[in-house]
Structures are given as C-alpha cells and as structure tokens.
Amino acid sequence: MHRRRAALPRYHRYLNPQAQILILDAGGQYCHLIARKVRDLGVYSEVRASETPAEELGAAKGIIISGGPSSVYDPGSPTVDPAIFTRGQAVLGICYGQQLMAHVLGGGVQKGDKGEFGLATLDLEATADPLFAGLGGRQQVWMSHRDLVAGLPEGFVNVGRTDTCPVAAIAAPARRLYAVQFHPEVVHTTRGKQLLANFVFRVCQCEKDWDASHRAPLIEQEIREAAGKRNVFFFVSGGVDSTVAFALCTRALGNSRVRGVYVDTGLMREGETDFVRRMPGITVECAQEQFLAALEGVTDPERKRHIIGEEFVRVQERVIEARRLLDEQWILGQGTIYPDTIESGGTAKAALIKTHHNRVAGIQKLIEEGRIVEPLKSLYKDEVRAVGRELALPADLLDRHPFPGPGLAIRCLCSDVDAPVRDTADGCVIPVHSVGVQGDSRSYAPVLAIGQLDPARATELINRVSGVNRVIASVAGPAPLTGMQVSASSLTPARLARLRTADATVRRLSHEAGFDRRIWQFPVVLIPLGTADSPDSIVLRPIDSVDGMTAQSVVMEPALLERISKELLGQEGIAGVFYDLTHKPPATIEWE
Ligand code: XMP
C-alpha cells in the first residue's frame, strides 16, 4: 500500500544549506551586505577571506569579490587566488573587486586622487549578456572609490560608464567573469537588486534554499547545541536584538534555564529602565555611579567605548559572582548582530571603524573559551525583526528604533580644549570631531556648519571640502553662530541629563507627528558648542536606512522642526539647534 508522508514544516527544506554563492571579503563591510542581499533573494550565501584557495571554494556556484578600502597597489592589500578565474566558476567583482579582477588578469588600474562618493548616473549598454539582462540604459548607481580601472584585461568588454568613471561595468561572458565599479548591494543603486538576481539565477543558476523568516527553529537548535546542559545568562538592553535573542534562548531552553539582567548604566534614555522592568524574566542592576565615575573626564570616543565595554564586563563579573552564574552550569548570551562584529574589525580584514561594547577584551576571552552564545550574530537588523515576528513578539517592541549599547555616552560629545569656530567661504568649521567612514575606513574630522537646511548644497560641500566629514545646518539659535564657541567639556551628569531631556522631547514630538515611522533611527546629539550661559547645542540626526550599513539624512516637515527647535531652545543650557545633512558614507549614523 502507498503511504502518504506527512508534510514537513516549511523550514525543514532549509536545514543546513550549503553556500551557493561565496563572497570574498576584500576588507570592507560590504562583503556581509552582499551576502545578506543574496540571502534576501532566497539563496544561502556566506563570506570567506579573499585569499581562500580556489579549491576550497569549489562547491559554490558563484563567487563575488567585495569592495574594500585598499588600493590594489598598496603593499599587503587583499588579493585572490588567481585560479578562481580559470575554473569556469562564475565570478563577479564589485568596486575594489573589479579593480582586483582587472589587476590580477593583466588589465590596468589607475590611482585616483579625487574619488567618487555617492550617487552617480550609469550608462549601461544593452547587451544579450545574462548578467545585464533587462538592465540596459541610464540608471542611478552608488559609488565609493578612488582608483579606477584604466585598461581592460584581454577578452573583456566595457559595457558601462559614468561621467567620472569610464569603466564601470566589464564582462568576459565566455569565461563567466564580470565586474562593476558601482555597488549593486546598496539600495541607492536602483537596479542593483536585479543585477545581483541576474548573477545568482541567470549566470550561476542557483536554486532557492534560504528564508530569513523561517529561522527560529534552526536558531533554537543551535542554542541547544551551544548550551549543552548549561544555562544561559543574558545582558539585555530593552532593544530589539537582545530581546529577540533572549526570547529565542527561553524558547530553546525553557524559562528556568535563562536569566536576563538589564544594567542601568546611567547612560540610558528617559523611561527606558521602567520599560524594561515591565518585561518578564528580567532583573535590573543599578550601576549608574560605577559607569559615570569611570567615564569622568574622558573625551576620546574610542576610550569611552572601551571603558563602557569593560565596565559592562565588571558588572557582569559582579552579578555572576553574587549569583554564582558562571560556574560550570552557565554561559553568557548576547544579542550581537552581524554589523556589530563587522565594524569592530571582527571579520578577516574589516578596518576598525569603531569598537562595539560586546567585542571588548573581556568578552573575547569568553568567546575563546566557548562560553558565549550569540544566536543572531549572522543576521542583520531586518532579519532579526523577521525572526521576532516569527516569535510573535509585540510590534511596538520590534519597531523600536535601534539604540546603541554604549547609550547616550556616544551622543554626548566632549572637547579637550576651548576652541573658536572658523569662518570659511563655504560655512563655519566647528572644531568638534565626529566619526565617519569613507571608502570603508574610519575618519575622525571636524564638522562644517551652513546657514540653510539645504541637502543638495550639503552633498556638494561634503564631496568638495576636504578635512570635514559632516555638514550640518543651523536651524535655530544665533545666526551665523554669533558668539558661539566650543568649550572644554567632558561627560558629566549635568550634560547627560541635558541630552536625555532633549532626546525625550525630540522623541515625543516626532512620535506625535508620526515622523518616527518614516525613518529608521533618530539620534539626538549634544555638542559642546554654545555661549557662556548655554554651553551646548543639539544636533538632530534623523536618518533612513535598510540595515544601518548605509543611510540617508531625512529632512522633516518645517512645522515639526519648528516645534522641536522651539522646545529645545527653551531648555536650560542649549544655545543652538543643528540638523545633520550628511549621508552614510561619508558620515556614520552616530557621531562617535
Ligand atoms: P554607525 O554610527 O556606525 O551606526 O553608522 C550604525 C548602527 O549601529 C548602531 N551602533 C551601535 N549599536 N553598540 C550598538 O549596539 C554600539 O556600540 C553601536 N555603535 C553604533 C547605530 O546606532 C546605528 O544603528
């Protein structure tokens, strides 16, 4: 008799996928973004070091070489095993990957001194090639490079160009080799997704085997394997990542084997500790004084991050000691997601852009000892939200804007010295340094302030003016910055309270106006620019993003801006209100 098999739950189809597309990490954060975009197409993809020998890549149907901050002429710059180009496997080079492909195959790469960062218009020839199927014509692309391909390797044709980049898309279809100078993986390249889909399905003939919204049972299985018989102790922040990770652990192991502790560092937003107190299974550890004492007088952003990370570890040790949580029975759980590990230089070659608090030395030691479970470490924010929806976690929790672990500390900028603002033909240079990311490496530079809320002018200036990595517009306060200067200041309880109040005001007003739903995140930053009576100013930094890897500044309605500015200027200690008009890159979302 013929017996019918019970239908397997859908996720079983996706158990243990083998990477069909391998991304070679040429040193940037983009390698992971590409991997994510390929997974979004339903095809499982992983990242490998660029120098991985060709025979270890053999099982994949296609290889993508990522972008990166180096020049192919730099000593020690990332390279690839030349054999990857001669095995008949399809290869796509992106940005640095295009330059590297051209260089390794005997073409020419020209050192650029100006560079091209941001939107550009690509003219792509209509060809019969599967990679470019349906993509011919003019289109918007996103560029981030200095060097250019100047001479094609033998057998290649050039099929795309922009005004500043004469070789923007090349192909050797008979050898299944392709490369583009622009970034198809970022949303600003309007037809980038189609190009990646063409590569994955038409060129590489991949089949769908991955679904980010059906991960929970697999992740739970991984948690059970990592924990064994041990229990999991968790630091939660109230944010999406740690809450989803915590929920996965309790589902995997049961409530009795998972404990959550929330540390009130004194660097939290208004109302946050009360919000977390209402969550089940979590206790609150008060450590305000400990954190503030350790941060007293510190002005350097990297030092702040390290101190906060180390204080977290200290609190952890104290809690563990007091509750005997790290005897053989316990391991530590963390809500680390992919971008956190990338930006801390956690992958093979990513430049250290900033150190995340969950990748400091004390935590590294636990990782080496195999005493950490990080169930979300290969997922991006929107994939984490998809898992959260699968767990039926409440929407108001999943829709929360991301908030950085080090909290308000990295939005409260400090200065070692008093310093005047400097008038230039383009605007006022404010000697407050903030972090940026250009061609995938870190910058730390002053800010340019202009008098009008003019995004087009800001973009033009950021591309042209050297020595600054952000452009902000003065939207309220003395114009043009009359009588304002930067004054020496550190992280004090008074300044943190000032920032906390301003942040709460901005949050309340943008929520009432529905503006928070239009954007991805809204950092509010305190800078030590002001007058004798009011020493600080506020910078508004609303941005839109898909995953935090790239971001666009978003301008709000004038009426809302007016309400916000009025309330902020009425607040004690605030001299001016500014609006950050810089995209990421060249700026980062946070200022530190
Ligand atoms: P950036 O400033 O690098 O930020 O453009 C990208 C995203 O990461 C968040 N962020 C952090 N999140 N710990 C975190 O948990 C951190 O140290 C940290 N630094 C930045 C930032 O808020 C944005 O969403």
Side-chain angles (χ1 to χ4, degrees):
M1 207 180 85
H2 195 77
R3 270 208 281 157
R4 279 189 64 186
R5 260 200 256 160
L8 284 173
R10 187 158 170 225
Y11 59 83
H12 272 276
R13 286 201 280 123
Y14 301 117
L15 268 173
N16 301 320
Q18 292 293 313
Q20 297 183 68
I21 300 289
L22 288 173
I23 320 299
L24 296 186
D25 172 8
Q29 33 183 314
Y30 295 108
C31 56
H32 294 282
L33 186 52
I34 300 165
R36 225 293 305 294
K37 296 288 161 163
V38 174
R39 289 195 238 165
D40 276 356
L41 295 169
V43 170
Y44 189 65
S45 148
E46 286 181 358
V47 173
R48 294 283 184 276
S50 66
E51 281 92 0
T52 307
E55 60 266 27
E56 290 176 29
L57 308 171
K61 293 184 174 162
I63 293 172
I64 299 179
I65 310 171
S66 81
S70 310
S71 163
V72 292
Y73 296 116
D74 291 343
S77 57
T79 187
V80 291
D81 180 349
I84 65 170
F85 300 121
T86 54
R87 296 158 53 99
Q89 216 169 1
V91 184
L92 171 65
I94 293 176
C95 190
Y96 178 82
Q98 167 172 284
Q99 295 158 14
L100 187 58
M101 186 187 284
H103 181 65
V104 171
L105 295 176
V109 175
Q110 178 190 321
K111 259 207 169 306
D113 40 26
K114 186 158 165 285
E116 187 180 21
F117 300 100
L119 299 181
T121 303
L122 171 77
D123 278 308
L124 190 67
E125 284 170 22
T127 67
D129 201 295
L131 183 69
F132 303 112
L135 291 177
R138 298 209 108 188
Q139 52 210 288
Q140 176 183 300
V141 294
W142 190 83
M143 292 278 200
S144 177
H145 67 107
R146 276 182 206 285
D147 291 0
L148 296 166
V149 171
L152 298 188
E154 220 180 288
F156 276 76
V157 287
N158 178 22
V159 293
R161 48 195 63 79
T162 72
D163 281 349
T164 38
C165 180
V167 183
I170 60 176
R175 293 154 74 186
R176 306 184 75 213
L177 303 180
Y178 301 90
V180 292
Q181 183 57 59
F182 56 89
H183 286 265
E185 71 278 21
V186 307
V187 282
H188 315 300
T189 295
T190 40
R191 295 161 86 182
K193 185 175 174 190
Q194 183 62 48
L195 185 127
L196 286 177
N198 283 353
F199 181 70
V200 167
F201 297 115
R202 290 175 188 253
V203 177
C204 300
Q205 310 273 319
C206 293
E207 281 149 30
K208 291 194 177 187
D209 64 351
W210 170 258
D211 184 348
S213 63
H214 290 82
R215 305 313 302 161
L218 300 177
I219 298 173
E220 286 163 25
Q221 183 55 33
E222 281 166 18
I223 293 169
R224 281 190 287 272
E225 281 164 17
K229 290 193 169 14
R230 300 172 296 186
N231 303 322
V232 179
F233 158 66
F234 233 95
F235 282 117
V236 296
S237 69
V240 178
D241 308 339
S242 63
T243 309
V244 170
F246 183 75
L248 283 162
C249 285
T250 50
R251 275 172 53 123
L253 304 174
N255 289 339
S256 64
R257 291 180 58 192
V258 185
R259 294 255 202 300
V261 173
Y262 165 90
V263 181
D264 185 345
T265 58
L267 306 168
M268 322 310 290
R269 307 176 103 173
E270 194 171 286
E272 193 62 19
T273 301
D274 292 333
F275 177 88
V276 174
R277 256 185 234 285
R278 293 195 290 271
M279 291 167 41
I282 289 168
T283 55
V284 174
E285 181 76 16
C286 293
Q288 293 100 316
E289 274 140 40
Q290 177 186 337
F291 276 82
L292 295 182
L295 288 166
E296 200 183 311
V298 177
T299 52
D300 177 69
E302 273 297 292
R303 272 202 67 210
K304 278 186 197 170
R305 283 172 175 273
H306 274 282
I307 289 171
I308 293 166
E310 295 300 344
E311 291 309 317
F312 262 114
V313 172
R314 247 184 256 210
V315 176
Q316 173 200 346
E317 281 164 359
R318 197 171 68 221
V319 172
I320 286 163
E321 179 90 3
R323 304 187 199 177
R324 297 192 205 297
L325 287 174
L326 264 199
D327 53 22
E328 306 298 280
Q329 313 296 316
W330 293 85
I331 60 172
L332 180 72
Q334 292 206 119
T336 316
I337 65 170
Y338 226 162
D340 302 342
T341 56
I342 304 158
E343 295 197 340
S344 296
T347 57
K349 284 182 229 72
L352 179 70
I353 291 168
K354 56 182 68 158
T355 302
H356 278 256
H357 64 280
N358 44 13
R359 276 288 176 274
V360 293
I363 300 285
Q364 288 292 4
K365 185 162 166 279
L366 287 173
I367 294 175
E368 281 153 28
E369 291 171 4
R371 307 196 67 172
I372 289 228
V373 58
E374 293 181 312
L376 306 174
K377 68 173 182 299
S378 56
L379 301 186
Y380 287 80
K381 198 86 182 183
D382 46 339
E383 291 182 321
V384 172
R385 288 193 170 119
V387 171
R389 281 192 291 276
E390 199 183 338
L391 301 181
L393 293 177
D396 63 346
L397 193 143
L398 296 177
D399 292 341
R400 298 190 103 197
H401 288 172
F403 185 71
L408 296 178
I410 59 163
R411 294 180 178 173
C412 184
L413 273 78
C414 306
S415 174
D416 288 323
V417 290
D418 291 342
V421 299
R422 186 165 54 84
D423 281 324
T424 71
D426 296 311
C428 289
V429 175
I430 301 176
V432 168
H433 282 59
S434 78
V435 174
V437 53
Q438 236 150 348
D440 292 6
S441 43
R442 185 184 193 268
S443 66
Y444 191 51
V447 183
L448 182 71
I450 56 176
Q452 326 74 33
L453 194 70
D454 182 345
R457 181 163 149 73
T459 303
E460 186 266 318
L461 286 170
I462 200 69
N463 284 328
R464 179 165 56 77
V465 179
S466 59
V468 297
N469 60 6
R470 270 175 213 272
V471 176
I472 59 178
S474 167
V475 289
L481 312 191
T482 323
M484 285 169 107
Q485 67 149 12
V486 169
S487 51
S489 34
S490 61
L491 264 186
T492 59
R495 292 187 76 228
L496 280 167
R498 195 172 282 153
L499 173 58
R500 186 177 291 113
T501 304
D503 177 65
T505 301
V506 174
R507 249 171 117 187
R508 173 172 47 81
L509 292 175
S510 58
H511 182 69
E512 282 168 15
F515 179 66
D516 57 352
R517 287 193 295 277
R518 272 184 52 206
I519 54 173
W520 198 75
Q521 195 178 12
F522 195 163
V524 173
V525 183
L526 190 80
I527 58 172
L529 172 74
T531 59
D533 291 342
S534 298
D536 286 311
S537 287
I538 291 291
V539 183
L540 306 172
R541 172 104 179 104
I543 55 99
D544 198 16
S545 177
V546 175
D547 43 36
M549 308 294 286
T550 61
Q552 273 184 300
S553 155
V554 180
V555 173
M556 63 175 65
E557 307 76 43
L560 174 60
L561 182 55
E562 208 181 306
R563 273 203 299 283
I564 289 178
S565 303
K566 195 162 156 237
E567 280 213 28
L568 290 179
L569 276 190
Q571 194 190 314
E572 173 279 327
I574 306 287
V577 180
F578 294 84
Y579 207 103
D580 190 340
L581 293 170
T582 333
H583 304 315
K584 174 184 180 179
T588 47
I589 297 173
E590 304 289 350
W591 274 47
E592 290 199 333

